[in-house]
Short mmCIF file of all heavy atoms in Angstrom, two decimals:
data_model
loop_
_atom_site.label_atom_id
_atom_site.label_comp_id
_atom_site.label_asym_id
_atom_site.label_seq_id
_atom_site.Cartn_x
_atom_site.Cartn_y
_atom_site.Cartn_z
N MET A 97 1.53 9.73 -2.92
CA MET A 97 1.96 8.42 -3.38
C MET A 97 2.44 8.47 -4.83
O MET A 97 3.47 7.89 -5.18
CB MET A 97 0.83 7.40 -3.25
CG MET A 97 0.39 7.14 -1.82
SD MET A 97 1.71 6.44 -0.82
CE MET A 97 0.93 6.46 0.80
N GLU A 98 1.71 9.14 -5.67
CA GLU A 98 2.09 9.20 -7.08
C GLU A 98 3.47 9.81 -7.26
O GLU A 98 4.30 9.30 -8.02
CB GLU A 98 1.06 9.98 -7.90
CG GLU A 98 1.42 10.07 -9.37
CD GLU A 98 0.37 10.75 -10.23
OE1 GLU A 98 -0.80 10.79 -9.83
OE2 GLU A 98 0.74 11.25 -11.32
N PHE A 101 6.32 7.44 -5.74
CA PHE A 101 6.51 6.23 -6.52
C PHE A 101 6.95 6.54 -7.95
O PHE A 101 7.50 5.67 -8.62
CB PHE A 101 5.24 5.36 -6.48
CG PHE A 101 5.13 4.57 -5.21
CD1 PHE A 101 4.78 5.18 -4.01
CD2 PHE A 101 5.40 3.21 -5.20
CE1 PHE A 101 4.70 4.46 -2.83
CE2 PHE A 101 5.31 2.48 -4.02
CZ PHE A 101 4.96 3.11 -2.83
N PRO A 290 -7.21 2.66 -2.83
CA PRO A 290 -6.95 3.79 -3.74
C PRO A 290 -5.51 4.30 -3.65
O PRO A 290 -4.95 4.73 -4.65
CB PRO A 290 -7.95 4.85 -3.28
CG PRO A 290 -9.06 4.08 -2.64
CD PRO A 290 -8.38 2.92 -1.96
N ALA A 291 -4.92 4.23 -2.46
CA ALA A 291 -3.53 4.65 -2.30
C ALA A 291 -2.60 3.74 -3.09
O ALA A 291 -1.62 4.21 -3.70
CB ALA A 291 -3.14 4.66 -0.82
N VAL A 292 -2.88 2.43 -3.10
CA VAL A 292 -2.08 1.51 -3.92
C VAL A 292 -2.25 1.84 -5.40
O VAL A 292 -1.29 1.79 -6.17
CB VAL A 292 -2.47 0.05 -3.62
CG1 VAL A 292 -1.71 -0.90 -4.54
CG2 VAL A 292 -2.20 -0.29 -2.17
N GLY A 293 -3.47 2.19 -5.78
CA GLY A 293 -3.70 2.61 -7.16
C GLY A 293 -2.85 3.82 -7.52
O GLY A 293 -2.29 3.90 -8.63
N ALA A 294 -2.71 4.76 -6.58
CA ALA A 294 -1.89 5.95 -6.82
C ALA A 294 -0.42 5.58 -6.97
O ALA A 294 0.30 6.19 -7.77
CB ALA A 294 -2.08 6.95 -5.69
N MET A 295 0.04 4.59 -6.20
CA MET A 295 1.41 4.12 -6.35
C MET A 295 1.64 3.61 -7.78
O MET A 295 2.65 3.91 -8.41
CB MET A 295 1.70 2.99 -5.37
CG MET A 295 1.58 3.34 -3.91
SD MET A 295 1.76 1.83 -2.89
CE MET A 295 1.33 2.47 -1.27
N ALA A 296 0.68 2.82 -8.25
CA ALA A 296 0.78 2.26 -9.60
C ALA A 296 0.78 3.36 -10.65
O ALA A 296 1.52 3.30 -11.65
CB ALA A 296 -0.38 1.29 -9.84
N VAL A 297 -0.03 4.40 -10.45
CA VAL A 297 -0.06 5.52 -11.38
C VAL A 297 1.32 6.19 -11.44
O VAL A 297 1.82 6.55 -12.51
CB VAL A 297 -1.14 6.55 -10.98
CG1 VAL A 297 -1.02 7.83 -11.81
CG2 VAL A 297 -2.53 5.95 -11.16
N GLY A 298 1.96 6.36 -10.28
CA GLY A 298 3.28 6.98 -10.25
C GLY A 298 4.30 6.19 -11.04
O GLY A 298 5.09 6.77 -11.81
N THR A 299 4.31 4.87 -10.87
CA THR A 299 5.25 4.02 -11.60
C THR A 299 4.96 4.05 -13.09
O THR A 299 5.89 4.14 -13.92
CB THR A 299 5.19 2.58 -11.07
OG1 THR A 299 5.53 2.57 -9.69
CG2 THR A 299 6.14 1.66 -11.83
N ALA A 300 3.69 3.97 -13.46
CA ALA A 300 3.32 4.01 -14.87
C ALA A 300 3.72 5.34 -15.51
O ALA A 300 4.25 5.39 -16.63
CB ALA A 300 1.81 3.79 -15.02
N ARG A 301 3.48 6.43 -14.81
CA ARG A 301 3.83 7.75 -15.33
C ARG A 301 5.33 7.88 -15.54
O ARG A 301 5.78 8.44 -16.54
CB ARG A 301 3.34 8.83 -14.36
CG ARG A 301 3.40 10.24 -14.92
CD ARG A 301 2.98 11.25 -13.88
NE ARG A 301 4.11 12.03 -13.41
CZ ARG A 301 4.24 12.55 -12.20
NH1 ARG A 301 3.33 12.32 -11.28
NH2 ARG A 301 5.29 13.27 -11.89
N ALA A 302 6.10 7.35 -14.61
CA ALA A 302 7.56 7.42 -14.74
C ALA A 302 8.03 6.69 -15.99
O ALA A 302 8.87 7.20 -16.74
CB ALA A 302 8.21 6.83 -13.49
N ILE A 338 -3.11 6.08 -18.19
CA ILE A 338 -2.59 6.68 -16.95
C ILE A 338 -3.57 7.72 -16.42
O ILE A 338 -3.89 7.75 -15.22
CB ILE A 338 -1.20 7.29 -17.18
CG1 ILE A 338 -0.17 6.19 -17.43
CG2 ILE A 338 -0.78 8.15 -16.00
CD1 ILE A 338 1.16 6.70 -17.97
N ALA A 341 -6.65 6.03 -15.05
CA ALA A 341 -6.37 5.41 -13.76
C ALA A 341 -6.36 6.45 -12.65
O ALA A 341 -6.90 6.24 -11.56
CB ALA A 341 -5.03 4.67 -13.81
N SER A 366 -10.50 1.26 -8.66
CA SER A 366 -9.33 2.13 -8.84
C SER A 366 -8.04 1.33 -8.73
O SER A 366 -7.10 1.52 -9.53
CB SER A 366 -9.34 3.27 -7.82
OG SER A 366 -9.12 2.82 -6.50
N LYS A 367 -7.98 0.43 -7.76
CA LYS A 367 -6.78 -0.37 -7.58
C LYS A 367 -6.59 -1.33 -8.75
O LYS A 367 -5.48 -1.51 -9.26
CB LYS A 367 -6.88 -1.13 -6.26
CG LYS A 367 -5.57 -1.66 -5.71
CD LYS A 367 -5.33 -3.09 -6.08
CE LYS A 367 -4.10 -3.67 -5.39
NZ LYS A 367 -3.78 -5.04 -5.83
N PHE A 369 -7.73 -1.14 -11.97
CA PHE A 369 -7.39 -0.51 -13.25
C PHE A 369 -5.98 0.10 -13.21
O PHE A 369 -5.21 -0.03 -14.16
CB PHE A 369 -8.41 0.58 -13.59
CG PHE A 369 -8.26 1.11 -14.99
CD1 PHE A 369 -8.79 0.41 -16.07
CD2 PHE A 369 -7.57 2.29 -15.25
CE1 PHE A 369 -8.64 0.89 -17.37
CE2 PHE A 369 -7.41 2.77 -16.54
CZ PHE A 369 -7.95 2.06 -17.60
N ALA A 370 -5.64 0.75 -12.11
CA ALA A 370 -4.33 1.39 -12.01
C ALA A 370 -3.21 0.35 -12.00
O ALA A 370 -2.17 0.55 -12.64
CB ALA A 370 -4.26 2.26 -10.76
N SER A 371 -3.39 -0.75 -11.28
CA SER A 371 -2.34 -1.76 -11.21
C SER A 371 -2.14 -2.46 -12.55
O SER A 371 -1.00 -2.70 -12.98
CB SER A 371 -2.65 -2.78 -10.11
OG SER A 371 -3.87 -3.44 -10.35
N GLU A 372 -3.24 -2.77 -13.23
CA GLU A 372 -3.11 -3.39 -14.55
C GLU A 372 -2.50 -2.40 -15.55
O GLU A 372 -1.73 -2.79 -16.43
CB GLU A 372 -4.49 -3.86 -15.03
CG GLU A 372 -5.09 -4.99 -14.22
CD GLU A 372 -4.36 -6.32 -14.40
OE1 GLU A 372 -3.62 -6.46 -15.39
OE2 GLU A 372 -4.54 -7.21 -13.55
N THR A 373 -2.83 -1.12 -15.40
CA THR A 373 -2.24 -0.09 -16.26
C THR A 373 -0.74 -0.02 -16.06
O THR A 373 0.03 0.09 -17.03
CB THR A 373 -2.88 1.27 -15.98
OG1 THR A 373 -4.25 1.24 -16.40
CG2 THR A 373 -2.15 2.40 -16.70
N ALA A 374 -0.27 -0.08 -14.82
CA ALA A 374 1.16 0.00 -14.55
C ALA A 374 1.91 -1.15 -15.21
O ALA A 374 2.99 -0.95 -15.80
CB ALA A 374 1.41 0.00 -13.05
N LYS A 375 1.38 -2.36 -15.12
CA LYS A 375 2.04 -3.50 -15.76
C LYS A 375 2.11 -3.33 -17.27
O LYS A 375 3.14 -3.57 -17.90
CB LYS A 375 1.30 -4.80 -15.42
CG LYS A 375 1.56 -5.34 -14.04
CD LYS A 375 0.95 -6.72 -13.82
CE LYS A 375 1.62 -7.78 -14.69
NZ LYS A 375 1.09 -9.14 -14.36
N THR A 378 4.47 -0.16 -18.34
CA THR A 378 5.90 -0.41 -18.18
C THR A 378 6.41 -1.41 -19.22
O THR A 378 7.55 -1.31 -19.69
CB THR A 378 6.23 -0.91 -16.77
OG1 THR A 378 5.42 -2.05 -16.45
CG2 THR A 378 5.99 0.19 -15.73
N SER A 403 6.35 -3.03 -11.08
CA SER A 403 4.91 -2.90 -11.34
C SER A 403 4.13 -4.18 -11.08
O SER A 403 2.93 -4.13 -10.80
CB SER A 403 4.67 -2.45 -12.79
OG SER A 403 4.98 -3.50 -13.70
N TYR A 406 1.78 -4.55 -7.88
CA TYR A 406 0.50 -3.86 -7.71
C TYR A 406 -0.69 -4.76 -7.99
O TYR A 406 -1.78 -4.54 -7.44
CB TYR A 406 0.44 -2.61 -8.60
CG TYR A 406 1.53 -1.62 -8.33
CD1 TYR A 406 2.35 -1.15 -9.36
CD2 TYR A 406 1.78 -1.14 -7.05
CE1 TYR A 406 3.36 -0.23 -9.13
CE2 TYR A 406 2.79 -0.24 -6.80
CZ TYR A 406 3.58 0.21 -7.84
OH TYR A 406 4.59 1.10 -7.60
#
Side-chain angles (χ1 to χ4, degrees):
M97 296 298 173
E98 180 176 337
F101 280 74
V292 176
M295 298 173 189
V297 171
T299 300
R301 191 184 109 210
I338 291 167
S366 69
K367 199 264 187 185
F369 190 82
S371 60
E372 294 290 342
T373 292
K375 283 187 67 174
T378 54
S403 70
Y406 301 127

